[in-house]
Amino acid sequence: NAVAISPKDSKVYCNVLANGRSYIARFDATNNLEYIAAAPQSFAAGAFDKDGTFYVSSTTSKMASYTNVHSLAGKNTPPSSGLPTYASYVTLPAYPGSDINVIKQGTGKRAKTWLVGIDS
């Protein structure tokens, strides 16, 4: 789940479960899967901003963001430890929906980022 394509490297990033743990992983056009970060839980929706930050949200109103995922070293098998964790983790006041989209507006100190929940 939480699948999105990075604007930095055109690879697919997603949330996967392996060995009872949740991870952020990526794969490329040759189906090379790499585990790149530990996730605190399973996430249902994901989106990138234009700067390459990967945002994910859950059905339990949790959201996390991972910066510079394109530069993280990957492992071909799910490790038991040693992966970075989430950069920012928040609880939302409501379920964000089954998908999310990132909107950025402005520059410098006036720049704002919104995550818009989409539900059917």
Side-chain angles (χ1 to χ4, degrees):
N1 284 333
V3 178
I5 298 172
S6 169
K8 294 293 185 179
D9 61 9
S10 298
K11 292 182 181 179
V12 176
Y13 288 76
C14 57
N15 180 221
V16 297
L17 294 174
N19 301 330
R21 299 183 73 178
S22 185
Y23 298 94
I24 301 298
R26 70 174 161 236
F27 60 93
D28 58 23
T30 62
N31 292 326
N32 179 37
L33 179 69
E34 295 180 318
Y35 298 86
I36 60 167
Q41 69 177 75
S42 180
F43 292 102
F48 276 95
D49 68 13
K50 65 180 180 168
D51 300 319
T53 298
F54 186 42
Y55 295 89
V56 290
S57 66
S58 74
T59 58
T60 59
S61 302
K62 303 286 187 195
M63 182 168 283
S65 64
Y66 298 83
T67 58
N68 300 314
V69 291
H70 64 281
S71 64
L72 295 176
K75 299 188 183 291
N76 292 332
T77 58
S80 58
S81 64
L83 288 178
T85 57
Y86 51 90
S88 177
Y89 187 55
V90 297
T91 300
L92 304 173
Y95 169 58
S98 57
D99 205 356
I100 57 174
N101 198 355
V102 182
I103 299 170
K104 287 193 132 183
Q105 184 177 22
T107 58
K109 291 183 179 183
R110 298 185 61 115
K112 300 285 183 187
T113 302
W114 290 273
L115 273 74
V116 178
I118 304 165
D119 205 7
S120 55

